[in-house]
Amino acid sequence: MLASDDERLWGAVQRRDQSADGSFVYAVRSTGVYCRPSCPSRPARRENVTFYADADAAEKAGFRPCKRCHPNENPDDRTAEAIRQACQWIETAEDQPDLGTLARSAGYSPWHFQRLFKAYVGLSPKQYAIACRKVRLRQALPDAGSVTDAIYAAGFGASSRAYEDKGALGMTPSSYRNGAEGETIRYASAESSLGPVLVAATERGVCMIEFGEPEQLVQVLAQRFPTACIVPVNRDLAALVERVVQLIDEPSAGCDLPLDIRGTAFQERVWKALTLIPAGETLSYAELAELIGRPSATRAVARACASNSIAVAVPCHRVVCSSGKLSGYKWGVERKEALLSREGTKPARNRR
């Protein structure tokens, strides 16, 4: 039992101070339960509270762990598991749980859970639910009996909501079902210091930056959007292409391009995390998997990086092997090495 500095410890309990978690636990004699300082349960009366150095000491004194804050578990492990379960719930639920419901299930306050979820996933619970709904809509549209059937199957409460939310697909659901019919995608090519590059953009922003022969890349673009109107417009895209070329020449300057990123919920989590890696630094695929809260998904993270179609602006070149050495790059390891060199990235070293 801790007898010294009780008032400081009690103050941490009253504030639900998360930074104090792991430094002590408090037990409530009236309930026989012990908790971590940040426990969201109703505050106990001061005269019923005793402080202990750790969970073992509290259990030896006859107290049992709280079922809300799980003070006998490692906080990091418990948080990762809570976020994983919340993601699974969001992905599979017919009626999406709200923030309060998710937070109560995880044993956190709504504000704290929102902060933890965004730190692990890179999106808020609401944003993640929207991304999952988008994926379900994309998957349902090709084979559904009608566009309306696909909309409701994806979790939209009304067909009007799906048509209003063009961000879900980058176009209306009917256009997506018809292979982006009616959407105009403009493209232009240019020479850069790393070879020819093709830039394509929708009304929302850049949807492709790829190195390679323009004729082949135009075919890739057409295959991705088979009934869209693919238009070569070198003059209209001149300013945008110039910004892309400047970004390739000086990737450390940062990217302020408008982007139209389209992928699965998992891919978008990975791509968003990539944009958070500062120029001059790298992560391994395992570290990137940990960053998005999916430490066992290293291979899936590598596949998402390989599927990126917006070179440099979504900087998948900043992901390397666990040893620190360069690994495969969609547009060639030589280009990856050149980009990292321009960013002043430190030489490869053993990361683990």
Side-chain angles (χ1 to χ4, degrees):
M1 182 174 66
L2 297 176
S4 61
D5 210 8
D6 277 9
E7 290 309 309
R8 179 182 64 81
L9 302 182
W10 177 241
V13 172
Q14 289 182 307
R15 296 191 303 274
R16 294 189 170 95
D17 187 354
Q18 297 148 20
S19 65
D21 288 351
S23 61
F24 72 93
V25 298
Y26 72 94
V28 183
R29 289 189 290 274
S30 59
T31 62
V33 168
Y34 72 93
C35 304
R36 63 176 78 249
S38 65
C39 182
S41 299
R42 180 179 298 179
R45 295 174 65 89
R46 175 65 183 88
E47 59 268 24
N48 292 331
V49 172
T50 305
F51 301 103
Y52 293 91
D54 53 35
D56 287 342
E59 291 184 13
K60 286 179 181 178
F63 294 95
R64 63 184 186 277
C66 172
K67 292 184 178 180
R68 292 197 68 182
C69 68
H70 304 276
N72 55 330
E73 298 178 4
N74 182 294
D76 291 338
D77 292 346
R78 177 179 169 267
T79 299
E81 177 60 18
I83 300 302
R84 186 195 67 78
Q85 291 181 2
C87 287
Q88 188 175 40
W89 190 358
I90 292 170
E91 290 166 3
T92 58
E94 291 186 9
D95 296 322
Q96 289 300 322
D98 59 25
L99 176 61
T101 301
L102 290 168
R104 282 193 300 273
S105 177
Y108 296 101
S109 69
W111 178 87
H112 186 38
F113 182 76
Q114 170 106 332
R115 190 169 66 85
L116 287 173
F117 192 98
K118 193 164 187 177
Y120 273 75
V121 178
L123 303 169
S124 70
K126 183 177 180 180
Q127 290 170 331
Y128 186 67
I130 291 172
C132 290
R133 187 172 62 182
K134 174 181 66 176
V135 172
R136 289 194 294 270
L137 181 57
R138 284 182 172 177
Q139 293 172 340
L141 277 169
D143 300 319
S146 68
V147 172
T148 301
D149 289 345
I151 288 171
Y152 283 106
F156 287 89
S159 58
S160 59
R161 293 291 300 275
Y163 278 88
E164 289 169 1
D165 184 16
K166 291 187 179 181
L169 299 169
M171 63 197 83
T172 65
S174 57
S175 293
Y176 187 90
R177 179 180 170 88
N178 294 324
E181 183 176 1
E183 182 177 37
T184 298
I185 299 176
R186 300 174 300 156
Y187 74 89
S189 59
E191 283 294 328
S192 75
S193 56
L194 296 181
V197 62
L198 184 137
V199 180
T202 66
E203 291 183 358
R204 297 175 64 200
V206 175
C207 62
M208 176 186 282
I209 300 175
E210 294 222 24
F211 296 103
E213 293 303 319
E215 295 80 7
Q216 297 177 357
L217 294 177
V218 171
Q219 293 178 13
V220 172
L221 184 63
Q223 290 170 0
R224 187 177 181 190
F225 303 104
T227 59
C229 183
I230 309 295
V231 182
V233 284
N234 288 336
R235 179 176 299 177
D236 291 347
L237 282 185
L240 188 62
V241 172
E242 183 178 354
R243 290 167 65 186
V244 170
V245 171
Q246 289 174 349
L247 179 64
I248 294 169
D249 289 340
E250 194 176 355
S252 60
C255 174
D256 60 353
L257 295 169
L259 302 179
D260 183 356
I261 298 175
R262 305 182 189 186
T264 67
F266 181 83
Q267 286 174 331
E268 291 190 11
R269 285 167 64 185
V270 173
W271 297 338
K272 183 175 179 63
L274 288 173
T275 65
L276 301 178
I277 306 174
E281 297 184 16
T282 60
L283 290 181
S284 70
Y285 293 102
E287 288 170 333
L288 183 58
E290 291 177 0
L291 181 63
I292 66 169
R294 297 287 296 274
S296 63
T298 302
R299 290 185 179 180
V301 164
R303 287 194 296 269
C305 290
S307 300
N308 175 33
S309 295
I310 307 181
V312 190
V314 177
C316 56
H317 62 276
R318 294 175 187 161
V319 186
V320 298
C321 293
S322 294
S323 64
K325 295 183 179 180
L326 302 188
S327 55
Y329 184 54
K330 183 177 181 179
W331 299 285
V333 175
E334 295 80 7
R335 287 192 176 99
K336 183 172 188 172
E337 185 174 18
L339 289 168
L340 291 175
S341 176
R342 293 173 185 185
E343 293 178 348
T345 304
K346 295 179 180 179
R349 54 175 169 55
N350 195 345
R351 307 174 69 93
R352 296 191 174 188

mmCIF file of all heavy atoms in Angstrom, residues 154-200:
data_model
loop_
_atom_site.group_PDB
_atom_site.id
_atom_site.type_symbol
_atom_site.label_atom_id
_atom_site.label_comp_id
_atom_site.label_asym_id
_atom_site.label_seq_id
_atom_site.Cartn_x
_atom_site.Cartn_y
_atom_site.Cartn_z
ATOM 1 N N ALA A 154 -24.841 -1.504 -48.995
ATOM 2 C CA ALA A 154 -23.598 -0.907 -48.488
ATOM 3 C C ALA A 154 -23.789 -0.188 -47.172
ATOM 4 O O ALA A 154 -22.808 0.141 -46.494
ATOM 5 C CB ALA A 154 -23.036 0.065 -49.524
ATOM 6 N N GLY A 155 -25.041 0.077 -46.780
ATOM 7 C CA GLY A 155 -25.286 0.711 -45.494
ATOM 8 C C GLY A 155 -25.774 2.139 -45.562
ATOM 9 O O GLY A 155 -25.919 2.797 -44.527
ATOM 10 N N PHE A 156 -26.053 2.652 -46.753
ATOM 11 C CA PHE A 156 -26.627 3.984 -46.868
ATOM 12 C C PHE A 156 -28.093 3.928 -46.459
ATOM 13 O O PHE A 156 -28.824 3.009 -46.857
ATOM 14 C CB PHE A 156 -26.510 4.526 -48.297
ATOM 15 C CG PHE A 156 -25.120 4.938 -48.692
ATOM 16 C CD1 PHE A 156 -24.247 4.026 -49.260
ATOM 17 C CD2 PHE A 156 -24.684 6.236 -48.482
ATOM 18 C CE1 PHE A 156 -22.963 4.395 -49.627
ATOM 19 C CE2 PHE A 156 -23.397 6.612 -48.850
ATOM 20 C CZ PHE A 156 -22.541 5.695 -49.418
ATOM 21 N N GLY A 157 -28.530 4.907 -45.674
ATOM 22 C CA GLY A 157 -29.914 4.928 -45.221
ATOM 23 C C GLY A 157 -30.890 5.325 -46.298
ATOM 24 O O GLY A 157 -32.081 5.019 -46.208
ATOM 25 N N ALA A 158 -30.409 5.997 -47.334
ATOM 26 C CA ALA A 158 -31.270 6.429 -48.435
ATOM 27 C C ALA A 158 -30.410 6.572 -49.684
ATOM 28 O O ALA A 158 -29.220 6.905 -49.606
ATOM 29 C CB ALA A 158 -31.952 7.756 -48.110
ATOM 30 N N SER A 159 -30.993 6.318 -50.834
ATOM 31 C CA SER A 159 -30.223 6.408 -52.079
ATOM 32 C C SER A 159 -29.734 7.827 -52.318
ATOM 33 O O SER A 159 -28.665 8.030 -52.892
ATOM 34 C CB SER A 159 -31.077 5.932 -53.261
ATOM 35 O OG SER A 159 -32.259 6.706 -53.371
ATOM 36 N N SER A 160 -30.495 8.806 -51.852
ATOM 37 C CA SER A 160 -30.085 10.201 -52.046
ATOM 38 C C SER A 160 -28.768 10.499 -51.343
ATOM 39 O O SER A 160 -27.957 11.293 -51.816
ATOM 40 C CB SER A 160 -31.171 11.151 -51.530
ATOM 41 O OG SER A 160 -31.417 10.930 -50.151
ATOM 42 N N ARG A 161 -28.534 9.822 -50.181
ATOM 43 C CA ARG A 161 -27.290 10.050 -49.451
ATOM 44 C C ARG A 161 -26.089 9.574 -50.259
ATOM 45 O O ARG A 161 -25.026 10.204 -50.251
ATOM 46 C CB ARG A 161 -27.332 9.306 -48.114
ATOM 47 C CG ARG A 161 -28.345 9.830 -47.133
ATOM 48 C CD ARG A 161 -27.961 11.206 -46.625
ATOM 49 N NE ARG A 161 -26.680 11.185 -45.966
ATOM 50 C CZ ARG A 161 -26.500 10.859 -44.682
ATOM 51 N NH1 ARG A 161 -27.540 10.508 -43.933
ATOM 52 N NH2 ARG A 161 -25.287 10.873 -44.145
ATOM 53 N N ALA A 162 -26.242 8.473 -50.964
ATOM 54 C CA ALA A 162 -25.141 7.946 -51.772
ATOM 55 C C ALA A 162 -24.825 8.878 -52.939
ATOM 56 O O ALA A 162 -23.662 9.076 -53.289
ATOM 57 C CB ALA A 162 -25.479 6.556 -52.281
ATOM 58 N N TYR A 163 -25.871 9.446 -53.554
ATOM 59 C CA TYR A 163 -25.650 10.341 -54.684
ATOM 60 C C TYR A 163 -25.092 11.691 -54.229
ATOM 61 O O TYR A 163 -24.332 12.338 -54.941
ATOM 62 C CB TYR A 163 -26.937 10.530 -55.478
ATOM 63 C CG TYR A 163 -27.186 9.400 -56.447
ATOM 64 C CD1 TYR A 163 -27.878 8.266 -56.053
ATOM 65 C CD2 TYR A 163 -26.675 9.442 -57.743
ATOM 66 C CE1 TYR A 163 -28.092 7.206 -56.934
ATOM 67 C CE2 TYR A 163 -26.876 8.389 -58.633
ATOM 68 C CZ TYR A 163 -27.583 7.282 -58.219
ATOM 69 O OH TYR A 163 -27.771 6.232 -59.087
ATOM 70 N N GLU A 164 -25.473 12.103 -53.007
ATOM 71 C CA GLU A 164 -24.925 13.353 -52.469
ATOM 72 C C GLU A 164 -23.458 13.179 -52.113
ATOM 73 O O GLU A 164 -22.657 14.098 -52.260
ATOM 74 C CB GLU A 164 -25.702 13.768 -51.221
ATOM 75 C CG GLU A 164 -27.120 14.252 -51.502
ATOM 76 C CD GLU A 164 -27.924 14.397 -50.219
ATOM 77 O OE1 GLU A 164 -27.359 14.145 -49.139
ATOM 78 O OE2 GLU A 164 -29.112 14.754 -50.305
ATOM 79 N N ASP A 165 -23.099 11.983 -51.633
ATOM 80 C CA ASP A 165 -21.736 11.715 -51.184
ATOM 81 C C ASP A 165 -20.872 11.232 -52.344
ATOM 82 O O ASP A 165 -20.497 10.073 -52.418
ATOM 83 C CB ASP A 165 -21.765 10.669 -50.066
ATOM 84 C CG ASP A 165 -20.371 10.420 -49.484
ATOM 85 O OD1 ASP A 165 -19.479 11.251 -49.733
ATOM 86 O OD2 ASP A 165 -20.199 9.398 -48.800
ATOM 87 N N LYS A 166 -20.538 12.121 -53.248
ATOM 88 C CA LYS A 166 -19.700 11.731 -54.383
ATOM 89 C C LYS A 166 -18.295 11.350 -53.939
ATOM 90 O O LYS A 166 -17.576 10.677 -54.662
ATOM 91 C CB LYS A 166 -19.635 12.864 -55.417
ATOM 92 C CG LYS A 166 -20.963 13.092 -56.145
ATOM 93 C CD LYS A 166 -20.801 14.094 -57.263
ATOM 94 C CE LYS A 166 -22.105 14.309 -58.018
ATOM 95 N NZ LYS A 166 -21.970 15.260 -59.132
ATOM 96 N N GLY A 167 -17.910 11.797 -52.723
ATOM 97 C CA GLY A 167 -16.611 11.401 -52.210
ATOM 98 C C GLY A 167 -16.502 9.915 -51.990
ATOM 99 O O GLY A 167 -15.409 9.360 -51.900
ATOM 100 N N ALA A 168 -17.640 9.219 -51.893
ATOM 101 C CA ALA A 168 -17.590 7.777 -51.672
ATOM 102 C C ALA A 168 -16.954 7.050 -52.844
ATOM 103 O O ALA A 168 -16.278 6.052 -52.675
ATOM 104 C CB ALA A 168 -19.006 7.237 -51.432
ATOM 105 N N LEU A 169 -17.168 7.530 -54.054
ATOM 106 C CA LEU A 169 -16.654 6.849 -55.236
ATOM 107 C C LEU A 169 -15.878 7.774 -56.166
ATOM 108 O O LEU A 169 -15.245 7.315 -57.100
ATOM 109 C CB LEU A 169 -17.823 6.230 -56.028
ATOM 110 C CG LEU A 169 -18.662 5.193 -55.301
ATOM 111 C CD1 LEU A 169 -19.911 4.885 -56.112
ATOM 112 C CD2 LEU A 169 -17.869 3.931 -55.064
ATOM 113 N N GLY A 170 -15.942 9.063 -55.916
ATOM 114 C CA GLY A 170 -15.352 10.020 -56.831
ATOM 115 C C GLY A 170 -16.299 10.389 -57.953
ATOM 116 O O GLY A 170 -15.939 11.140 -58.856
ATOM 117 N N MET A 171 -17.521 9.829 -57.917
ATOM 118 C CA MET A 171 -18.534 10.061 -58.946
ATOM 119 C C MET A 171 -19.847 9.523 -58.406
ATOM 120 O O MET A 171 -19.897 8.976 -57.306
ATOM 121 C CB MET A 171 -18.143 9.335 -60.237
ATOM 122 C CG MET A 171 -18.076 7.826 -60.081
ATOM 123 S SD MET A 171 -17.176 6.992 -61.386
ATOM 124 C CE MET A 171 -15.502 7.191 -60.782
ATOM 125 N N THR A 172 -20.913 9.641 -59.151
ATOM 126 C CA THR A 172 -22.179 9.089 -58.705
ATOM 127 C C THR A 172 -22.129 7.563 -58.766
ATOM 128 O O THR A 172 -21.374 6.995 -59.553
ATOM 129 C CB THR A 172 -23.353 9.578 -59.574
ATOM 130 O OG1 THR A 172 -23.180 9.060 -60.895
ATOM 131 C CG2 THR A 172 -23.420 11.088 -59.604
ATOM 132 N N PRO A 173 -22.930 6.864 -57.934
ATOM 133 C CA PRO A 173 -22.928 5.391 -57.972
ATOM 134 C C PRO A 173 -23.236 4.816 -59.344
ATOM 135 O O PRO A 173 -22.630 3.835 -59.764
ATOM 136 C CB PRO A 173 -24.010 5.032 -56.946
ATOM 137 C CG PRO A 173 -24.002 6.162 -55.984
ATOM 138 C CD PRO A 173 -23.747 7.379 -56.835
ATOM 139 N N SER A 174 -24.184 5.419 -60.066
ATOM 140 C CA SER A 174 -24.522 4.889 -61.385
ATOM 141 C C SER A 174 -23.353 5.035 -62.352
ATOM 142 O O SER A 174 -23.104 4.165 -63.191
ATOM 143 C CB SER A 174 -25.768 5.586 -61.943
ATOM 144 O OG SER A 174 -25.574 6.989 -62.003
ATOM 145 N N SER A 175 -22.606 6.141 -62.234
ATOM 146 C CA SER A 175 -21.433 6.323 -63.094
ATOM 147 C C SER A 175 -20.375 5.276 -62.786
ATOM 148 O O SER A 175 -19.746 4.703 -63.684
ATOM 149 C CB SER A 175 -20.839 7.727 -62.910
ATOM 150 O OG SER A 175 -21.728 8.711 -63.399
ATOM 151 N N TYR A 176 -20.170 5.013 -61.488
ATOM 152 C CA TYR A 176 -19.174 4.007 -61.114
ATOM 153 C C TYR A 176 -19.577 2.629 -61.631
ATOM 154 O O TYR A 176 -18.750 1.874 -62.137
ATOM 155 C CB TYR A 176 -19.010 3.967 -59.593
ATOM 156 C CG TYR A 176 -17.893 3.070 -59.141
ATOM 157 C CD1 TYR A 176 -16.606 3.560 -58.984
ATOM 158 C CD2 TYR A 176 -18.116 1.720 -58.890
ATOM 159 C CE1 TYR A 176 -15.567 2.742 -58.581
ATOM 160 C CE2 TYR A 176 -17.081 0.878 -58.491
ATOM 161 C CZ TYR A 176 -15.807 1.401 -58.330
ATOM 162 O OH TYR A 176 -14.786 0.575 -57.935
ATOM 163 N N ARG A 177 -20.871 2.305 -61.495
ATOM 164 C CA ARG A 177 -21.368 0.996 -61.954
ATOM 165 C C ARG A 177 -21.113 0.831 -63.448
ATOM 166 O O ARG A 177 -20.843 -0.268 -63.938
ATOM 167 C CB ARG A 177 -22.862 0.890 -61.648
ATOM 168 C CG ARG A 177 -23.526 -0.415 -62.102
ATOM 169 C CD ARG A 177 -24.996 -0.353 -61.729
ATOM 170 N NE ARG A 177 -25.775 -1.431 -62.306
ATOM 171 C CZ ARG A 177 -25.953 -2.631 -61.753
ATOM 172 N NH1 ARG A 177 -25.378 -2.903 -60.602
ATOM 173 N NH2 ARG A 177 -26.688 -3.547 -62.336
ATOM 174 N N ASN A 178 -21.158 1.928 -64.177
ATOM 175 C CA ASN A 178 -20.952 1.889 -65.620
ATOM 176 C C ASN A 178 -19.505 2.180 -66.020
ATOM 177 O O ASN A 178 -19.234 2.569 -67.147
ATOM 178 C CB ASN A 178 -21.890 2.889 -66.298
ATOM 179 C CG ASN A 178 -23.341 2.503 -66.143
ATOM 180 O OD1 ASN A 178 -23.677 1.326 -66.157
ATOM 181 N ND2 ASN A 178 -24.208 3.498 -65.966
ATOM 182 N N GLY A 179 -18.581 1.998 -65.064
ATOM 183 C CA GLY A 179 -17.164 2.176 -65.385
ATOM 184 C C GLY A 179 -16.752 3.623 -65.484
ATOM 185 O O GLY A 179 -15.947 3.982 -66.333
ATOM 186 N N ALA A 180 -17.288 4.480 -64.609
ATOM 187 C CA ALA A 180 -16.999 5.919 -64.581
ATOM 188 C C ALA A 180 -17.598 6.636 -65.780
ATOM 189 O O ALA A 180 -17.092 7.661 -66.230
ATOM 190 C CB ALA A 180 -15.494 6.179 -64.496
ATOM 191 N N GLU A 181 -18.697 6.097 -66.286
ATOM 192 C CA GLU A 181 -19.348 6.719 -67.431
ATOM 193 C C GLU A 181 -19.767 8.144 -67.088
ATOM 194 O O GLU A 181 -20.366 8.404 -66.054
ATOM 195 C CB GLU A 181 -20.578 5.904 -67.835
ATOM 196 C CG GLU A 181 -21.274 6.438 -69.076
ATOM 197 C CD GLU A 181 -22.431 5.550 -69.489
ATOM 198 O OE1 GLU A 181 -22.691 4.553 -68.803
ATOM 199 O OE2 GLU A 181 -23.067 5.882 -70.501
ATOM 200 N N GLY A 182 -19.436 9.058 -67.972
ATOM 201 C CA GLY A 182 -19.814 10.449 -67.773
ATOM 202 C C GLY A 182 -18.764 11.270 -67.058
ATOM 203 O O GLY A 182 -18.824 12.495 -67.055
ATOM 204 N N GLU A 183 -17.766 10.619 -66.441
ATOM 205 C CA GLU A 183 -16.709 11.358 -65.758
ATOM 206 C C GLU A 183 -15.590 11.669 -66.747
ATOM 207 O O GLU A 183 -15.231 10.843 -67.581
ATOM 208 C CB GLU A 183 -16.149 10.553 -64.590
ATOM 209 C CG GLU A 183 -15.078 11.341 -63.830
ATOM 210 C CD GLU A 183 -14.567 10.572 -62.622
ATOM 211 O OE1 GLU A 183 -14.438 9.339 -62.715
ATOM 212 O OE2 GLU A 183 -14.290 11.205 -61.602
ATOM 213 N N THR A 184 -15.050 12.857 -66.628
ATOM 214 C CA THR A 184 -13.927 13.261 -67.470
ATOM 215 C C THR A 184 -12.636 13.185 -66.664
ATOM 216 O O THR A 184 -12.544 13.760 -65.579
ATOM 217 C CB THR A 184 -14.123 14.689 -68.000
ATOM 218 O OG1 THR A 184 -15.300 14.727 -68.821
ATOM 219 C CG2 THR A 184 -12.918 15.128 -68.821
ATOM 220 N N ILE A 185 -11.667 12.473 -67.203
ATOM 221 C CA ILE A 185 -10.350 12.383 -66.583
ATOM 222 C C ILE A 185 -9.343 12.952 -67.568
ATOM 223 O O ILE A 185 -9.172 12.428 -68.676
ATOM 224 C CB ILE A 185 -10.004 10.927 -66.219
ATOM 225 C CG1 ILE A 185 -11.030 10.381 -65.220
ATOM 226 C CG2 ILE A 185 -8.595 10.852 -65.628
ATOM 227 C CD1 ILE A 185 -10.824 8.928 -64.870
ATOM 228 N N ARG A 186 -8.716 14.010 -67.189
ATOM 229 C CA ARG A 186 -7.746 14.673 -68.061
ATOM 230 C C ARG A 186 -6.336 14.169 -67.730
ATOM 231 O O ARG A 186 -6.051 13.859 -66.581
ATOM 232 C CB ARG A 186 -7.811 16.181 -67.867
ATOM 233 C CG ARG A 186 -9.189 16.789 -68.175
ATOM 234 C CD ARG A 186 -9.221 18.271 -67.828
ATOM 235 N NE ARG A 186 -8.945 18.485 -66.405
ATOM 236 C CZ ARG A 186 -8.464 19.626 -65.901
ATOM 237 N NH1 ARG A 186 -8.170 20.634 -66.707
ATOM 238 N NH2 ARG A 186 -8.247 19.743 -64.607
ATOM 239 N N TYR A 187 -5.496 14.106 -68.743
ATOM 240 C CA TYR A 187 -4.133 13.669 -68.478
ATOM 241 C C TYR A 187 -3.164 14.429 -69.365
ATOM 242 O O TYR A 187 -3.513 14.977 -70.414
ATOM 243 C CB TYR A 187 -3.984 12.161 -68.695
ATOM 244 C CG TYR A 187 -3.988 11.731 -70.149
ATOM 245 C CD1 TYR A 187 -2.805 11.669 -70.886
ATOM 246 C CD2 TYR A 187 -5.175 11.394 -70.790
ATOM 247 C CE1 TYR A 187 -2.805 11.272 -72.217
ATOM 248 C CE2 TYR A 187 -5.185 10.995 -72.118
ATOM 249 C CZ TYR A 187 -4.003 10.932 -72.823
ATOM 250 O OH TYR A 187 -4.001 10.553 -74.144
ATOM 251 N N ALA A 188 -1.915 14.443 -68.910
ATOM 252 C CA ALA A 188 -0.824 15.051 -69.672
ATOM 253 C C ALA A 188 0.464 14.371 -69.254
ATOM 254 O O ALA A 188 0.572 13.836 -68.146
ATOM 255 C CB ALA A 188 -0.751 16.552 -69.406
ATOM 256 N N SER A 189 1.434 14.375 -70.117
ATOM 257 C CA SER A 189 2.729 13.770 -69.808
ATOM 258 C C SER A 189 3.823 14.819 -69.940
ATOM 259 O O SER A 189 3.647 15.850 -70.599
ATOM 260 C CB SER A 189 3.007 12.589 -70.737
ATOM 261 O OG SER A 189 3.012 13.011 -72.096
ATOM 262 N N ALA A 190 4.924 14.544 -69.303
ATOM 263 C CA ALA A 190 6.054 15.481 -69.354
ATOM 264 C C ALA A 190 7.327 14.724 -69.041
ATOM 265 O O ALA A 190 7.299 13.608 -68.521
ATOM 266 C CB ALA A 190 5.841 16.613 -68.346
ATOM 267 N N GLU A 191 8.447 15.335 -69.339
ATOM 268 C CA GLU A 191 9.747 14.779 -68.972
ATOM 269 C C GLU A 191 10.133 15.329 -67.599
ATOM 270 O O GLU A 191 9.979 16.512 -67.326
ATOM 271 C CB GLU A 191 10.818 15.146 -69.994
ATOM 272 C CG GLU A 191 10.755 14.329 -71.267
ATOM 273 C CD GLU A 191 11.074 12.856 -71.020
ATOM 274 O OE1 GLU A 191 11.889 12.553 -70.115
ATOM 275 O OE2 GLU A 191 10.506 12.006 -71.737
ATOM 276 N N SER A 192 10.589 14.452 -66.746
ATOM 277 C CA SER A 192 11.073 14.874 -65.432
ATOM 278 C C SER A 192 12.513 14.418 -65.281
ATOM 279 O O SER A 192 13.051 13.705 -66.141
ATOM 280 C CB SER A 192 10.227 14.240 -64.325
ATOM 281 O OG SER A 192 10.546 12.870 -64.164
ATOM 282 N N SER A 193 13.137 14.808 -64.194
ATOM 283 C CA SER A 193 14.525 14.411 -63.959
ATOM 284 C C SER A 193 14.663 12.911 -63.717
ATOM 285 O O SER A 193 15.771 12.377 -63.761
ATOM 286 C CB SER A 193 15.083 15.177 -62.753
ATOM 287 O OG SER A 193 14.266 14.975 -61.612
ATOM 288 N N LEU A 194 13.539 12.223 -63.469
ATOM 289 C CA LEU A 194 13.559 10.769 -63.271
ATOM 290 C C LEU A 194 12.868 10.037 -64.410
ATOM 291 O O LEU A 194 12.443 8.890 -64.249
ATOM 292 C CB LEU A 194 12.898 10.415 -61.932
ATOM 293 C CG LEU A 194 13.603 10.940 -60.673
ATOM 294 C CD1 LEU A 194 12.866 10.490 -59.424
ATOM 295 C CD2 LEU A 194 15.056 10.457 -60.631
ATOM 296 N N GLY A 195 12.751 10.707 -65.558
ATOM 297 C CA GLY A 195 12.156 10.070 -66.717
ATOM 298 C C GLY A 195 10.749 10.566 -66.986
ATOM 299 O O GLY A 195 10.213 11.406 -66.264
ATOM 300 N N PRO A 196 10.115 10.050 -68.055
ATOM 301 C CA PRO A 196 8.775 10.508 -68.406
ATOM 302 C C PRO A 196 7.768 10.190 -67.307
ATOM 303 O O PRO A 196 7.834 9.145 -66.665
ATOM 304 C CB PRO A 196 8.462 9.745 -69.700
ATOM 305 C CG PRO A 196 9.398 8.576 -69.706
ATOM 306 C CD PRO A 196 10.618 9.022 -68.983
ATOM 307 N N VAL A 197 6.830 11.117 -67.102
ATOM 308 C CA VAL A 197 5.823 10.964 -66.060
ATOM 309 C C VAL A 197 4.464 11.336 -66.632
ATOM 310 O O VAL A 197 4.353 12.272 -67.441
ATOM 311 C CB VAL A 197 6.160 11.826 -64.820
ATOM 312 C CG1 VAL A 197 6.188 13.306 -65.173
ATOM 313 C CG2 VAL A 197 5.183 11.570 -63.684
ATOM 314 N N LEU A 198 3.434 10.600 -66.260
ATOM 315 C CA LEU A 198 2.073 10.921 -66.678
ATOM 316 C C LEU A 198 1.285 11.375 -65.457
ATOM 317 O O LEU A 198 1.342 10.743 -64.392
ATOM 318 C CB LEU A 198 1.391 9.712 -67.317
ATOM 319 C CG LEU A 198 -0.015 9.993 -67.877
ATOM 320 C CD1 LEU A 198 -0.203 9.337 -69.239
ATOM 321 C CD2 LEU A 198 -1.098 9.485 -66.911
ATOM 322 N N VAL A 199 0.552 12.459 -65.634
ATOM 323 C CA VAL A 199 -0.280 13.024 -64.569
ATOM 324 C C VAL A 199 -1.724 13.019 -65.050
ATOM 325 O O VAL A 199 -2.016 13.505 -66.144
ATOM 326 C CB VAL A 199 0.148 14.459 -64.221
ATOM 327 C CG1 VAL A 199 -0.727 15.038 -63.105
ATOM 328 C CG2 VAL A 199 1.622 14.503 -63.817
ATOM 329 N N ALA A 200 -2.621 12.450 -64.243
ATOM 330 C CA ALA A 200 -4.052 12.430 -64.574
ATOM 331 C C ALA A 200 -4.828 13.035 -63.414
ATOM 332 O O ALA A 200 -4.443 12.888 -62.250
ATOM 333 C CB ALA A 200 -4.532 11.011 -64.852
#
